[in-house]
Amino acid sequence: MTSPDLVPLRRALISVSDKTGLVELGQALAARGVHILSTGGSAQRLAEAGVPVTEVGDHTGFPEMMDGRVKTLHPRIHGGILARRDDEGHVAAMNAHDIPGIDLVVVNLYPFEATVAKGADFETCIENIDIGGPSLIRGAAKNHDFVAVVTDPSDYAPLLAELAAQDGQTTLGLRRHLAAKAYARTGAYDAAIGAWFANRLGQTWPESVTVSGTLRQTLRYGENPHQTAAFYVTGERRPGIATATQLQGKELSYNNLNDTDAAFELVAEFDRPAIAIIKHANPCGVAEGEDLPTAYARALACDPVSAFGGIIAANRTLDAATAEAIAKLFAEVVIAPDADEAARAVLASKKNLRVLLTGDLPNPAQAGTLIKTVAGGFLAQSRDDGRVQPSALKVVTKRAPTPKELADLLFAFRVGKHVKSNAIVYAKDLATVGIGAGQMSRVDSSRIAAIKSREAAEAAGLSEPGTKGSVVASDAFFPFADGLIAAAEAGVTAVIQPGGSMRDQEVIDAADERGLAMVFTGMRHFRH
């Protein structure tokens, strides 16, 4: 059978939860002589606006019942939607049972996701699971050869524009586009219900899982220009790049988004004013301070060369002094919960600088799921929400860390959680002074971090590198003593690491020989 390109729009069914644009749509359709069927609140809103409308119950001869659970589930509705107009048997059935064709279905679903997000009780969530709506949508989408289906108020304008351009008819191209969007919507809706049910049943990893997202932005390219890319949002209410408002600057790229997310998640780890500078998803400088300008200066001092072209994240409202310091450096993105008017004015002078404001900080201890695709599937794991507390530390050396060393150790370990493995972080006075990331050997990470610290000191005209008198954090255990020895040679006085190696005693002995304090966390922070 050949699908017709143009189909006249004579009858429409409208049943919407979100009534944005409903009256304007009804008026435009009525002006074209379209017969409108509707239900409940939608019919009432249209009638109040003077739009001629027929209640579905009057159309089917069957009243709405069971608190609205049964109203459109009727052959006179679904027959009118599903019948192929070019099939003699279908047409004969329509005539025999007095089933008028329905050429347009406008439905958006009960707000299940929003109801769950508000923390509603179990029964309220169940009542907000739409049944008739998905049935109407799927039926209309299946029969898109003859029926247009609209699930999003943003599509009202394109629909009306098409009717104006095609003398009251819809094209096959538009109907197919709307059908694809409709199936994506019902798929996402069912995925949300399935995820909610699994959560309520305590199923961390249910037998089947569906990941859904809504297109936020088609990106210029992916990690490299020959790769295509897009940014989808899931609806998770976590402050960050998905919730941010972009004040200024060029369009965000794939790498911008990835690095900015890493920066903001890291800076949220700290309670005091803090700055994190990120390059290629790894921190090149992190510091706490009494205020943001102090934290920024100390974070930048860790590795000013790598900071060029980086991402800057703050965990406080940006002020003018911090903005002025940032403006002196070429940066790709600045992200913060907010910025005062003076800071906004300063940053506005850097027209290409992307400035994102999120309104809040993500909670590092909040549970969540991380997903990574692999050939033929994907890996899912819980978010690394582990946060080591002082009471959990085990002193394994003859010397215990001083209170100052302990504060720096905890700071360094929190930073290390956000550094690609193998990760080594040197810190002093709550600021990083050397970072080694992503090396295949842990000793190489120790040496690279020390080299970068030495180079930064030489560039700043300092007499000794920041690693002298610092502490060191390792994201996983030292498999041999060589990594710890390299750190000791760089000048550290204390060490924090998970422990658990077959050679732990060898590493402890090396620390004791050099007068170092070392604590075990019992928690690893691999990040690949």
Side-chain angles (χ1 to χ4, degrees), residues 385-397:
D385 56 5
R387 306 188 85 193
V388 172
Q389 301 301 323
S391 59
L393 300 178
K394 178 183 179 182
V395 178
V396 295
T397 49

Side-chain angles (χ1 to χ4, degrees), residues 237-459:
R237 294 177 179 270
R238 185 173 182 83
I241 57 172
T243 67
T245 298
Q246 183 172 350
L247 289 188
Q248 63 176 65
K250 299 183 292 185
E251 178 182 318
L252 290 157
S253 70
Y254 179 97
N255 291 329
N256 290 154
L257 290 163
N258 185 59
D259 292 352
T260 303
D261 178 67
F264 203 53
E265 289 288 333
L266 167 53
V267 83
E269 291 277 359
F270 306 104
D271 298 325
R272 298 174 69 227
I275 293 285
I277 306 174
I278 296 287
K279 194 72 170 289
H280 299 300
N282 272 309
C284 51
V286 185
E288 292 184 58
E290 293 302 320
D291 50 42
L292 282 186
T294 302
Y296 175 74
R298 301 180 69 225
L300 181 62
C302 179
D303 189 354
V305 173
S306 296
F308 183 84
I311 310 295
I312 300 171
N315 68 351
R316 293 289 192 280
T317 297
L318 286 174
D319 52 49
T322 309
E324 287 170 358
I326 290 172
K328 296 175 183 177
L329 176 76
F330 169 64
E332 291 282 356
V333 182
V334 174
I335 184 170
D338 204 350
D340 64 28
E341 291 303 319
R344 296 183 190 209
V346 171
L347 296 176
S349 66
K350 308 281 286 186
K351 293 185 178 179
N352 289 333
L353 175 64
R354 304 159 178 90
V355 178
L356 303 180
L357 303 180
T358 65
D360 205 350
L361 290 167
N363 178 3
Q366 179 182 337
T369 302
L370 303 179
I371 293 175
K372 177 182 175 62
T373 60
V374 294
F378 60 83
L379 302 173
Q381 65 173 338
S382 61
R383 179 181 286 121
D384 185 356
D385 56 5
R387 306 188 85 193
V388 172
Q389 301 301 323
S391 59
L393 300 178
K394 178 183 179 182
V395 178
V396 295
T397 49
K398 296 175 181 177
R399 184 173 77 81
T402 66
K404 180 182 179 302
E405 287 174 329
L406 181 60
D408 281 340
L409 289 169
L410 291 169
F411 169 86
F413 200 65
R414 283 192 182 180
V415 174
K417 171 181 170 181
H418 296 266
V419 180
K420 301 293 186 181
S421 299
N422 289 315
I424 292 290
V425 177
Y426 294 102
K428 183 164 61 180
D429 299 326
L430 303 180
T432 58
V433 293
I435 300 174
Q439 297 305 303
M440 292 69 73
S441 170
R442 192 162 298 276
V443 65
D444 286 343
S445 290
S446 293
R447 290 168 177 161
I448 288 171
I451 290 169
K452 294 187 76 67
S453 180
R454 187 164 60 248
E455 291 176 344
E458 291 171 355

Side-chain angles (χ1 to χ4, degrees), residues 6-11 103-104 146 163 167-170 175:
L6 296 174
V7 172
L9 176 49
R10 300 187 179 93
R11 184 174 285 99
D103 312 303
L104 170 67
F146 304 95
L163 293 175
D167 193 25
Q169 303 174 98
T170 60
R175 295 194 301 274

Side-chain angles (χ1 to χ4, degrees), residues 193-206:
I193 296 168
W196 172 78
F197 248 119
N199 178 263
R200 292 302 297 257
L201 295 175
Q203 297 175 342
T204 304
W205 304 116

